[in-house]
Amino acid sequence: MDLILGIETSCDECSASVVAYEPGTPDSAPRFEVRSLETFSQIDLHSPFGGVVPEVASRNHLETIHPMIERALHAAGAQMKDISAIAATNRPGLVGALLVGLSVAKTLAYLHKKPLVPVHHLEGHAASVFLTDGSAPALGYPLLLAILSGGHSNLHVAKAAPELWPADFLKRSLVGRSRDDAAGEAFDKTAKVLGFPYPGGAWIDRTAQGGNPDAFPLPKALPQKSTLDYSFSGLKTAAANLIRELERTGQLEPRLADVCASIQSAIVEALVAKIALATRIHGCRGVAIVGGVAANSYLRKRLAEVAARVPGGLAIRFPPMLYCTDNAAMIAAAGAFRYRQGQGLNGNALLKLNAYATAEA
Ligand code: KG4
Ligand code: ZN
């Protein structure tokens, strides 16, 4: 059993977690036990600005990262001597924010002579779906993995279990993506026009409850039927025009639930259509939906309906809500897989580690 300390500071969540990991076998899924997860969300600090202010994020991480790590170790009943490896996000994200978590991780690893695993944030989201105690049915492969974070809407096909993923897994497995805004950005930008606080996805989700998804027809973000790529910019513009027009005629307030349900439906139907198409094209035997947008209730409902119509059924798995949005448990899980592969860095190699804003080198 490996005990991994995970650290996440790529954007506006400062998070530390201790996770126990038992590798999977050809017949069984990997087993995880999240021994602790401590997260401080900076949302209230950034909300007045309508988005994340990078310098505010970095400075706040600097103040909260140490208490988060101490609390995570304490809540897990663990000390640094018990930890097998440290995993920290080093890309992509706000560089100033990443540097805080990575510097602390490097110092701890060097001082306590622990291997350090640099983790790609999107691989962290991917790993969140494996954060189970092994009692859930094993996921089938090929596995369609939809990574729906704030800045990415990527479709990947995993041919094997995460312990076998190559170093360039995210690049090699990519089969579809957004050509412009991600679904999360489409939610957040339209929510901003509606006057909701940042990040607006969850506000649209809540306000859409009871609304009619067909009330206002909006473009469905599908450039061509045959491609697995999306485009959300047309939808964003159409939604902004609709909102302004309803505001001008005094109809926005009384129709707010219908407006939110229509915007949400346009975004979700595009995601559902491409996920279903990718599953068919690549002969996937399972589907995993991860990232902040995976918390969307309408997406969960629509995908369950689609899965029920697939002859023989299709297993769709979402991580628990807690692991959808940014958290260090998923970083520890991704780090655990990479540590098993021998990718933990020691000594001078770990001291050379750096942080990067971009998803790709
Ligand atoms: O994965 P995440 O926590 O952070 C990034 O790595 O970017 O995703 C944040 C995104 C934001 O765009 C937020 O609006 C969206 O996830 N989100 C939602 C919901 N909860 C969070 N979008 C739609 N419905 C939700 N319930
Ligand atoms: Zn994220």
Side-chain angles (χ1 to χ4, degrees), residues 6 23 27 30 49 84 133 142 156 163-165 171 177 188 216 225 240 256 261 288-289 318 343 357:
D27 307 315
F49 303 102
S84 320
D133 60 6
H156 298 264
E163 283 93 347
L164 301 172
W165 290 355
K171 200 170 155 194
R177 63 182 170 88
D188 293 343
F216 300 102
K225 283 222 153 26
L256 199 55
I289 317 284
F318 291 86
Q343 290 187 27

mmCIF file of all heavy atoms in Angstrom, residues 6 23 27 30 49 84 133 142 156 163-165 171 177 188 216 225 240 256 261 288-289 318 343 357:
data_model
loop_
_atom_site.group_PDB
_atom_site.id
_atom_site.type_symbol
_atom_site.label_atom_id
_atom_site.label_comp_id
_atom_site.label_asym_id
_atom_site.label_seq_id
_atom_site.Cartn_x
_atom_site.Cartn_y
_atom_site.Cartn_z
ATOM 1 N N GLY A 6 -1.033 14.564 -1.641
ATOM 2 C CA GLY A 6 -1.323 15.338 -2.854
ATOM 3 C C GLY A 6 -1.438 16.816 -2.537
ATOM 4 O O GLY A 6 -1.958 17.194 -1.481
ATOM 5 N N PRO A 23 -2.651 -0.949 -5.844
ATOM 6 C CA PRO A 23 -2.769 -1.048 -7.307
ATOM 7 C C PRO A 23 -3.806 -2.077 -7.747
ATOM 8 O O PRO A 23 -4.072 -3.030 -7.020
ATOM 9 C CB PRO A 23 -1.385 -1.483 -7.758
ATOM 10 C CG PRO A 23 -0.498 -1.329 -6.596
ATOM 11 C CD PRO A 23 -1.329 -1.307 -5.353
ATOM 12 N N ASP A 27 -7.581 -8.327 -12.983
ATOM 13 C CA ASP A 27 -8.985 -8.672 -12.679
ATOM 14 C C ASP A 27 -9.673 -7.694 -11.744
ATOM 15 O O ASP A 27 -10.870 -7.806 -11.514
ATOM 16 C CB ASP A 27 -9.076 -10.061 -12.025
ATOM 17 C CG ASP A 27 -8.362 -11.096 -12.850
ATOM 18 O OD1 ASP A 27 -8.551 -11.087 -14.066
ATOM 19 O OD2 ASP A 27 -7.585 -11.881 -12.268
ATOM 20 N N PRO A 30 -8.124 -0.549 -9.241
ATOM 21 C CA PRO A 30 -7.304 -0.025 -8.143
ATOM 22 C C PRO A 30 -8.197 0.380 -6.969
ATOM 23 O O PRO A 30 -9.349 0.740 -7.170
ATOM 24 C CB PRO A 30 -6.631 1.213 -8.758
ATOM 25 C CG PRO A 30 -7.342 1.508 -10.024
ATOM 26 C CD PRO A 30 -8.027 0.258 -10.454
ATOM 27 N N PHE A 49 -14.463 40.381 -8.639
ATOM 28 C CA PHE A 49 -13.759 40.757 -9.871
ATOM 29 C C PHE A 49 -14.350 40.063 -11.097
ATOM 30 O O PHE A 49 -13.913 40.284 -12.223
ATOM 31 C CB PHE A 49 -12.268 40.426 -9.767
ATOM 32 C CG PHE A 49 -11.591 41.086 -8.596
ATOM 33 C CD1 PHE A 49 -11.309 40.379 -7.437
ATOM 34 C CD2 PHE A 49 -11.245 42.434 -8.643
ATOM 35 C CE1 PHE A 49 -10.692 40.976 -6.350
ATOM 36 C CE2 PHE A 49 -10.627 43.057 -7.554
ATOM 37 C CZ PHE A 49 -10.358 42.326 -6.406
ATOM 38 N N SER A 84 4.666 7.784 1.345
ATOM 39 C CA SER A 84 5.526 7.099 0.359
ATOM 40 C C SER A 84 6.045 8.071 -0.690
ATOM 41 O O SER A 84 7.179 7.964 -1.146
ATOM 42 C CB SER A 84 4.740 6.002 -0.375
ATOM 43 O OG SER A 84 3.899 5.308 0.477
ATOM 44 N N ASP A 133 -13.322 2.662 -3.562
ATOM 45 C CA ASP A 133 -12.741 1.651 -2.678
ATOM 46 C C ASP A 133 -12.665 0.278 -3.347
ATOM 47 O O ASP A 133 -12.409 -0.722 -2.690
ATOM 48 C CB ASP A 133 -13.535 1.561 -1.375
ATOM 49 C CG ASP A 133 -14.996 1.183 -1.629
ATOM 50 O OD1 ASP A 133 -15.341 0.891 -2.793
ATOM 51 O OD2 ASP A 133 -15.781 1.187 -0.675
ATOM 52 N N PRO A 142 -11.914 -0.376 -24.161
ATOM 53 C CA PRO A 142 -11.515 1.023 -24.149
ATOM 54 C C PRO A 142 -12.513 1.867 -23.360
ATOM 55 O O PRO A 142 -13.711 1.653 -23.435
ATOM 56 C CB PRO A 142 -11.510 1.439 -25.629
ATOM 57 C CG PRO A 142 -11.684 0.195 -26.423
ATOM 58 C CD PRO A 142 -12.204 -0.867 -25.527
ATOM 59 N N HIS A 156 -11.030 11.723 -24.463
ATOM 60 C CA HIS A 156 -9.879 10.828 -24.585
ATOM 61 C C HIS A 156 -10.381 9.385 -24.635
ATOM 62 O O HIS A 156 -11.434 9.075 -24.075
ATOM 63 C CB HIS A 156 -8.948 10.952 -23.374
ATOM 64 C CG HIS A 156 -8.349 12.315 -23.207
ATOM 65 N ND1 HIS A 156 -7.102 12.644 -23.676
ATOM 66 C CD2 HIS A 156 -8.835 13.445 -22.638
ATOM 67 C CE1 HIS A 156 -6.834 13.912 -23.388
ATOM 68 N NE2 HIS A 156 -7.875 14.422 -22.748
ATOM 69 N N GLU A 163 -2.541 2.487 -14.555
ATOM 70 C CA GLU A 163 -1.172 2.063 -14.224
ATOM 71 C C GLU A 163 -0.354 1.836 -15.492
ATOM 72 O O GLU A 163 0.869 1.837 -15.460
ATOM 73 C CB GLU A 163 -1.187 0.764 -13.408
ATOM 74 C CG GLU A 163 -1.568 0.947 -11.938
ATOM 75 C CD GLU A 163 -3.055 0.760 -11.685
ATOM 76 O OE1 GLU A 163 -3.822 0.739 -12.673
ATOM 77 O OE2 GLU A 163 -3.452 0.651 -10.503
ATOM 78 N N LEU A 164 -1.055 1.645 -16.627
ATOM 79 C CA LEU A 164 -0.353 1.354 -17.893
ATOM 80 C C LEU A 164 -0.320 2.551 -18.835
ATOM 81 O O LEU A 164 0.150 2.438 -19.963
ATOM 82 C CB LEU A 164 -1.048 0.166 -18.596
ATOM 83 C CG LEU A 164 -1.095 -1.126 -17.792
ATOM 84 C CD1 LEU A 164 -1.962 -2.174 -18.477
ATOM 85 C CD2 LEU A 164 0.318 -1.676 -17.582
ATOM 86 N N TRP A 165 -0.823 3.697 -18.401
ATOM 87 C CA TRP A 165 -0.837 4.849 -19.294
ATOM 88 C C TRP A 165 0.592 5.318 -19.604
ATOM 89 O O TRP A 165 1.416 5.444 -18.694
ATOM 90 C CB TRP A 165 -1.622 6.012 -18.672
ATOM 91 C CG TRP A 165 -3.111 5.758 -18.611
ATOM 92 C CD1 TRP A 165 -3.791 4.689 -19.116
ATOM 93 C CD2 TRP A 165 -4.093 6.588 -17.979
ATOM 94 N NE1 TRP A 165 -5.134 4.806 -18.857
ATOM 95 C CE2 TRP A 165 -5.349 5.951 -18.161
ATOM 96 C CE3 TRP A 165 -4.048 7.803 -17.291
ATOM 97 C CZ2 TRP A 165 -6.536 6.499 -17.672
ATOM 98 C CZ3 TRP A 165 -5.222 8.340 -16.807
ATOM 99 C CH2 TRP A 165 -6.460 7.701 -16.997
ATOM 100 N N LYS A 171 -1.900 13.382 -24.567
ATOM 101 C CA LYS A 171 -1.718 13.769 -25.965
ATOM 102 C C LYS A 171 -2.123 12.626 -26.899
ATOM 103 O O LYS A 171 -2.857 12.810 -27.856
ATOM 104 C CB LYS A 171 -0.244 14.117 -26.172
ATOM 105 C CG LYS A 171 0.037 14.960 -27.379
ATOM 106 C CD LYS A 171 1.467 15.427 -27.325
ATOM 107 C CE LYS A 171 1.949 15.725 -28.726
ATOM 108 N NZ LYS A 171 3.395 15.861 -28.743
ATOM 109 N N ARG A 177 -12.020 17.709 -28.931
ATOM 110 C CA ARG A 177 -11.806 18.839 -27.998
ATOM 111 C C ARG A 177 -12.599 20.029 -28.490
ATOM 112 O O ARG A 177 -13.115 20.014 -29.610
ATOM 113 C CB ARG A 177 -10.318 19.204 -27.939
ATOM 114 C CG ARG A 177 -9.852 19.666 -29.280
ATOM 115 C CD ARG A 177 -8.400 20.004 -29.393
ATOM 116 N NE ARG A 177 -8.138 20.178 -30.825
ATOM 117 C CZ ARG A 177 -8.275 21.324 -31.475
ATOM 118 N NH1 ARG A 177 -8.623 22.414 -30.840
ATOM 119 N NH2 ARG A 177 -8.077 21.391 -32.774
ATOM 120 N N ASP A 188 -19.597 29.745 -17.758
ATOM 121 C CA ASP A 188 -19.165 30.893 -16.948
ATOM 122 C C ASP A 188 -19.407 32.224 -17.656
ATOM 123 O O ASP A 188 -19.809 33.203 -17.035
ATOM 124 C CB ASP A 188 -17.677 30.751 -16.583
ATOM 125 C CG ASP A 188 -17.440 29.569 -15.647
ATOM 126 O OD1 ASP A 188 -18.419 29.079 -15.048
ATOM 127 O OD2 ASP A 188 -16.287 29.129 -15.542
ATOM 128 N N PHE A 216 -36.108 28.355 -25.421
ATOM 129 C CA PHE A 216 -35.435 29.247 -26.376
ATOM 130 C C PHE A 216 -34.439 28.427 -27.197
ATOM 131 O O PHE A 216 -33.465 27.915 -26.645
ATOM 132 C CB PHE A 216 -34.695 30.361 -25.632
ATOM 133 C CG PHE A 216 -35.593 31.219 -24.795
ATOM 134 C CD1 PHE A 216 -35.652 31.039 -23.419
ATOM 135 C CD2 PHE A 216 -36.391 32.205 -25.373
ATOM 136 C CE1 PHE A 216 -36.486 31.821 -22.635
ATOM 137 C CE2 PHE A 216 -37.233 32.994 -24.597
ATOM 138 C CZ PHE A 216 -37.281 32.794 -23.222
ATOM 139 N N LYS A 225 -21.384 17.071 -38.117
ATOM 140 C CA LYS A 225 -21.892 15.874 -37.428
ATOM 141 C C LYS A 225 -20.809 14.810 -37.239
ATOM 142 O O LYS A 225 -20.819 14.059 -36.275
ATOM 143 C CB LYS A 225 -23.062 15.282 -38.228
ATOM 144 C CG LYS A 225 -24.366 16.060 -38.047
ATOM 145 C CD LYS A 225 -25.536 15.107 -37.899
ATOM 146 C CE LYS A 225 -26.728 15.612 -37.115
ATOM 147 N NZ LYS A 225 -26.970 17.012 -37.051
ATOM 148 N N ALA A 240 -25.861 35.513 -25.403
ATOM 149 C CA ALA A 240 -25.717 36.907 -24.964
ATOM 150 C C ALA A 240 -26.768 37.789 -25.647
ATOM 151 O O ALA A 240 -27.380 38.661 -25.010
ATOM 152 C CB ALA A 240 -24.305 37.402 -25.264
ATOM 153 N N LEU A 256 -36.219 33.612 -16.230
ATOM 154 C CA LEU A 256 -34.828 33.249 -15.910
ATOM 155 C C LEU A 256 -34.588 31.725 -15.880
ATOM 156 O O LEU A 256 -33.581 31.239 -16.404
ATOM 157 C CB LEU A 256 -34.413 33.875 -14.569
ATOM 158 C CG LEU A 256 -32.913 33.968 -14.316
ATOM 159 C CD1 LEU A 256 -32.183 34.711 -15.427
ATOM 160 C CD2 LEU A 256 -32.618 34.636 -12.970
ATOM 161 N N ALA A 261 -32.228 27.035 -18.359
ATOM 162 C CA ALA A 261 -32.442 25.655 -18.816
ATOM 163 C C ALA A 261 -32.101 25.527 -20.297
ATOM 164 O O ALA A 261 -31.542 24.509 -20.740
ATOM 165 C CB ALA A 261 -33.895 25.240 -18.558
ATOM 166 N N ALA A 288 -16.346 7.587 -18.625
ATOM 167 C CA ALA A 288 -16.077 8.297 -17.372
ATOM 168 C C ALA A 288 -16.144 9.794 -17.644
ATOM 169 O O ALA A 288 -15.540 10.271 -18.610
ATOM 170 C CB ALA A 288 -14.699 7.918 -16.843
ATOM 171 N N ILE A 289 -16.876 10.517 -16.814
ATOM 172 C CA ILE A 289 -17.027 11.963 -17.005
ATOM 173 C C ILE A 289 -16.437 12.647 -15.781
ATOM 174 O O ILE A 289 -16.894 12.410 -14.660
ATOM 175 C CB ILE A 289 -18.526 12.365 -17.131
ATOM 176 C CG1 ILE A 289 -19.300 11.383 -18.021
ATOM 177 C CG2 ILE A 289 -18.664 13.805 -17.602
ATOM 178 C CD1 ILE A 289 -19.073 11.513 -19.477
ATOM 179 N N PHE A 318 -19.453 8.814 -12.982
ATOM 180 C CA PHE A 318 -19.051 10.157 -12.564
ATOM 181 C C PHE A 318 -18.377 10.021 -11.202
ATOM 182 O O PHE A 318 -18.863 9.252 -10.371
ATOM 183 C CB PHE A 318 -20.282 11.046 -12.368
ATOM 184 C CG PHE A 318 -21.012 11.409 -13.620
ATOM 185 C CD1 PHE A 318 -21.985 10.579 -14.142
ATOM 186 C CD2 PHE A 318 -20.748 12.615 -14.262
ATOM 187 C CE1 PHE A 318 -22.688 10.935 -15.287
ATOM 188 C CE2 PHE A 318 -21.445 12.969 -15.405
ATOM 189 C CZ PHE A 318 -22.411 12.135 -15.922
ATOM 190 N N GLN A 343 7.972 6.948 -11.630
ATOM 191 C CA GLN A 343 8.197 8.324 -12.087
ATOM 192 C C GLN A 343 8.375 9.342 -10.959
ATOM 193 O O GLN A 343 8.302 10.544 -11.198
ATOM 194 C CB GLN A 343 7.062 8.737 -13.019
ATOM 195 C CG GLN A 343 7.130 7.986 -14.336
ATOM 196 C CD GLN A 343 6.128 8.501 -15.347
ATOM 197 O OE1 GLN A 343 5.725 9.646 -15.316
ATOM 198 N NE2 GLN A 343 5.729 7.629 -16.257
ATOM 199 N N ALA A 357 2.389 27.029 -17.498
ATOM 200 C CA ALA A 357 1.004 27.481 -17.691
ATOM 201 C C ALA A 357 0.259 26.601 -18.696
ATOM 202 O O ALA A 357 -0.952 26.403 -18.597
ATOM 203 C CB ALA A 357 1.002 28.921 -18.192
#
